[in-house]
Structures are given as structure tokens and as C-alpha cells.
Amino acid sequence: MSARFTITKLGAQGDGIAETESGDLFIPFTLPGEVVTAARERDRATLMAVLEASPLRVDPACRHFTECGGCALQHFQAEAYRQWKREKVVHALKGKGIDCQIGELVACAPQTRRRVVLAARRTDSGMLLGFNRHLSSELISISECPISLPEIVVALAPLKALADLICATTKSFRLAVTVTGSGLDVAAHDSGKLGEHQRRVAANFVMAQGFARLSIDDEIIIEPRKPVVMFGSVAVAVPPGAFLQATEAAEQAMADIVGGHLRRAKKVADLFAGCGSFALRLAAKSEVHAVEGDAAALSALDRGSRFATGLKRVTSERRDLFRRPLTFKELNAFDGLVFDPPRAGAEDQSKQIARSDVPFVAAVSCNPVTLARDLRILLDGGYALKSVTPIDQFLWSPHVEAVALLEKPKRRR
């Protein structure tokens, strides 16, 4: 049964929150100040109707909005949305007692996402390709996606056909699609084991569509052209399913901030280096030691540095920084450092950085909460926080990146 609620604020995931006698009630796709009717189930509710709309409510950009769970905030006026994202970083830092001037959010434009992870499933009525419904395992097939690069959108029909060709499971599976300089790189996971005939048919389809590569569970099925991305002036052939920043513009913005902070460093450590998005740009001016746990990513970085021209010396080390962080004694060999860990952050590595003498540190994070925790460790270790810049590269989602710059007076050794 539906009831009437007044939305008082937005939650961390972008849901509107109504305060009730039994606690906060989370109602997706609503905004502060709105009066709505919704069907309640425990602490969540499904929006039925907006009775009194907020002046900040706008028409969504996509016909699939509220059904597809890919976006949470298309209904939120742009400037208010950007301010809300910036406040997520402010709030997280204040929660750790960090009072710092936070820069304006670097905005994300529509039609710029170069990598999306689609869900696929074969049904009695045909193949579905899209995203899961909000907080559900139900798959919503899509025909448009205003966050993604046009190269992905125009390929949705061929990608659905390819998903049908490689499907050897009754369950849902993932299709990661990346726009590269060589064409689309398609990496399927959990689609099932292909027979030889299926492999040949899928390979022929990939060739006919002009895709750069098809891989299934990291095994390359066919690779007509090596998928290549540019990190600054360096071309890197990325491995199947490689992690890349979601948009090129956000990656460049982060690289510019980090590069400016480390411009005086002669020897730089890049921790959680991935395929080299920071390392290979920084190597234009500094010697770089790149540390990464993923062998394929590190190999791509190494190959990119070897075939590039005009770079300073680049060395690499495969190392699980969660299990075995670089010690403060090892870090003292460097006068600059950047670290960009997964969402879990880098708590143990931060403790070693805090004990080190590295004068210039850049912390990059996709999780304001773990960033705040790690910054607190660095500040308690004697670092001074110079700036924090929030960056949006996951448009209309609750996720926000941030780049924090820190300094510590260098001790005499």
C-alpha cells in the first residue's frame, strides 16, 4: 500500500530520504523538498507519484531512466547535482576531522564514458543487453545511453547479437565494452564455455563488425587489431578487461593535477599503477618506478614505455600492495609519489607513506570515505594537505573521484 512522504535530504547513493517515526526511508529518484507517494517495504520504498516537485527537478536525458539502474540522478538540476557531489567529498573529510579548502568539481559531460559494463542474458523472448534495474537482478535492455560515447551506443545492436552468439549459460553474464584507438574491445565474463563452432562464428562476427578484440574470461578469442589507448603521448596496448579511467577527460584532468604537483620530483613512485595512465605521463619529466599487482597491466605498461620515445627511465615491479606495501625505507628513495588504489583505499600503504620522507604525495581515490581515512593517516604522519579536487567521471551516479595533494618538509639524511 502506498503512503505520502516528504523528502528532506539526499542519501549517499542519491536516494531521497524521508524521515519517519520508524527511521529514515530511502526513496529513489526523489529530491529534497518533494512530496511523493511511495510503496514502502522496510526502509526502502518504490516511488509511485511526485505530488509536489522540487524546483530542481528536470526532465531526464534518457528514456530508460528509473528503470535502468545505471543512473541515479538524471532528474537533478545540473548545478545542484555538481554541488551535491562536491559535498560528498567535503562531508567525508570532515568526518575524519579534516578541514581543507575543497576545489570546485571538475564536471563530466554526457556522451564521454569510454568503458561500460553491460549485463546480458538469454530469455525465452530473446537476448537482453543493458543494465540491472535499480537494486534488482532484473535486467533492463537498453536502446540508448546518454552517458556513453557514441561509438558504444551505435554498437548496441551488434553487441546484443554478439552476446547471443557467445552465450553458453542460462544465467546473466557481463560484457565490458571499451572504446580504444583501434575499435571496440569487448571482454565477456561468465558467458559459459564455447564450442569450436561458436568460437568460429563469434570470431567471424567480430571481424565483420570491425571490433578490435573479443575475449571471454580473459582468453582472447580473436584480436584483429590490438586495442590501443594513449596515455599522454605514449601508446599502450591494453590487456583484456583492463582497468581504465571511465572518461579520457577525467583521466587527463587527474594527470594534469598530479603532474603539476610532482613537477619538481626527479624520482617518482606510482603505486597501484595499472597500465600506466600516470606513470607514462610522469615519465616525460621524471624517472618513474611503477608498482602494480596485476601482471597483465604491468606488462602493458612496460611494453608501452619500451616502445615510447622521449621518456625518462621507467622501471616496474609486480607487487601486491595490500599484502606487502612498500616500506617507508623503500619509499625514501623517491621525492615524489602518486597512489591510486581501488575503492578499498590503501590503509596499510598509507601508514608506510606517513612514516616516509617523500616530500610530494598525490592521493587519487574513487571513494571519499576511504580517501578521508588514508588522508587522516598521512596528516597524522606530518603531511600537510594542500588541496583536494573532486572530479566527476561517473555522470548521474553517486560516485565521485578526488585528487588530494600533500607535502612534507624533506628531512636531511
Side-chain angles (χ1 to χ4, degrees):
M1 181 179 292
S2 64
R4 182 182 176 116
F5 301 98
T6 299
I7 308 302
T8 58
K9 57 187 174 182
L10 282 183
Q13 297 304 308
D15 297 333
I17 298 178
E19 297 173 349
T20 73
E21 291 182 357
S22 57
D24 287 347
L25 179 67
F26 296 85
I27 309 177
F29 315 122
T30 60
L31 296 173
E34 293 189 328
V35 178
V36 305
T37 56
R40 181 172 190 168
E41 186 175 349
R42 298 185 180 87
D43 64 345
R44 303 199 64 84
T46 300
L47 177 66
M48 306 302 290
V50 177
L51 303 178
E52 298 178 21
S54 164
L56 299 177
R57 178 173 284 274
V58 297
D59 291 334
C62 180
R63 76 185 73 175
H64 303 298
F65 182 62
T66 72
E67 289 190 330
C68 164
C71 293
L73 293 154
Q74 284 189 20
H75 61 304
F76 202 5
Q77 188 267 341
E79 184 55 41
Y81 157 81
R82 289 192 286 267
Q83 188 60 33
W84 176 77
K85 277 213 165 174
R86 179 181 176 275
E87 284 300 317
K88 283 173 67 77
V89 178
V90 173
H91 180 75
L93 296 189
K94 283 187 176 179
K96 289 295 183 180
I98 302 172
D99 189 9
C100 169
Q101 182 63 38
I102 310 296
E104 291 302 312
L105 180 82
V106 177
C108 181
Q111 298 183 316
T112 57
R113 179 84 68 87
R114 65 177 171 186
R115 185 175 188 270
V116 298
V117 181
L118 301 165
R121 188 177 75 251
R122 181 179 287 147
T123 68
D124 292 340
S125 58
M127 199 71 200
L128 299 180
L129 181 72
F131 297 100
N132 287 340
R133 188 184 291 275
H134 183 66
L135 294 179
S136 168
S137 59
E138 181 186 359
L139 202 160
I140 304 298
S141 197
I142 63 170
S143 58
E144 66 180 27
C145 183
I147 65 171
S148 301
L149 283 169
E151 293 94 321
I152 293 175
V153 177
V154 299
L156 284 173
L159 288 167
K160 181 186 286 189
L162 177 59
D164 196 36
L165 292 175
I166 65 172
C167 180
T169 178
T170 58
K171 299 178 180 180
S172 294
F173 60 95
R174 290 176 291 128
L175 212 64
V177 183
T178 305
V179 177
T180 75
S182 317
L184 292 187
D185 181 18
V186 184
H189 293 274
D190 303 319
S191 59
K193 185 174 177 59
L194 293 189
E196 285 304 315
H197 177 69
Q198 271 186 298
R199 293 172 71 101
R200 286 195 299 271
V201 172
N204 289 337
F205 184 85
V206 166
M207 291 282 289
Q209 294 297 324
F211 296 165
R213 178 171 61 197
L214 169 65
S215 63
I216 299 178
D217 295 327
D218 297 331
E219 178 195 356
I220 295 175
I221 304 301
I222 186 169
E223 187 181 66
R225 296 178 300 280
K226 286 193 175 298
V228 171
V229 297
M230 299 297 296
F231 296 142
S233 63
V234 182
V236 175
V238 294
F243 170 80
L244 294 174
Q245 299 294 349
T247 75
E248 286 189 80
E251 179 181 88
Q252 189 60 56
M254 290 187 281
D256 289 344
I257 295 168
V258 171
H261 187 57
L262 303 182
R263 66 189 181 279
R264 289 179 285 171
K266 294 181 179 180
K267 292 186 67 176
V268 173
D270 180 2
L271 310 184
F272 307 94
C275 293
S277 59
F278 290 118
L280 296 174
R281 287 178 167 95
L282 291 168
K285 295 182 178 179
S286 309
E287 290 187 15
V288 178
H289 182 60
V291 185
E292 167 60 44
D294 183 81
L298 200 63
S299 178
L301 185 160
D302 183 62
R303 286 195 307 272
S305 69
R306 291 177 186 276
F307 286 98
T309 58
L311 299 186
K312 302 287 187 181
R313 183 168 177 254
V314 177
T315 56
S316 60
E317 177 184 356
R318 185 183 178 191
R319 185 161 170 171
D320 184 340
L321 292 169
F322 291 107
R323 292 178 179 271
R324 195 164 64 91
L326 261 68
T327 67
F328 71 94
K329 291 182 179 179
E330 292 173 290
L331 292 171
N332 284 341
F334 304 97
D335 45 13
L337 181 150
V338 57
F339 66 105
D340 182 11
R343 291 187 61 79
E347 184 174 11
D348 290 340
Q349 184 61 77
S350 295
K351 290 175 181 177
Q352 293 298 321
I353 297 170
R355 297 179 64 190
S356 78
D357 296 335
V358 182
F360 301 103
V361 170
V364 182
S365 174
C366 61
N367 184 342
V369 174
T370 56
L371 173 66
R373 179 201 64 203
D374 294 346
L375 290 180
R376 182 73 268 165
I377 293 169
L378 297 177
L379 294 175
D380 290 345
Y383 278 92
L385 185 57
K386 297 300 182 180
S387 70
V388 178
T389 304
I391 297 173
D392 189 10
Q393 65 169 330
F394 296 98
L395 184 63
W396 296 318
S397 84
H399 303 299
V400 59
E401 302 266 342
V403 180
L405 306 179
L406 304 102
E407 293 183 12
K408 177 188 280 188
K410 194 170 180 67
R411 302 173 188 168
R412 292 185 178 180
R413 297 175 187 159

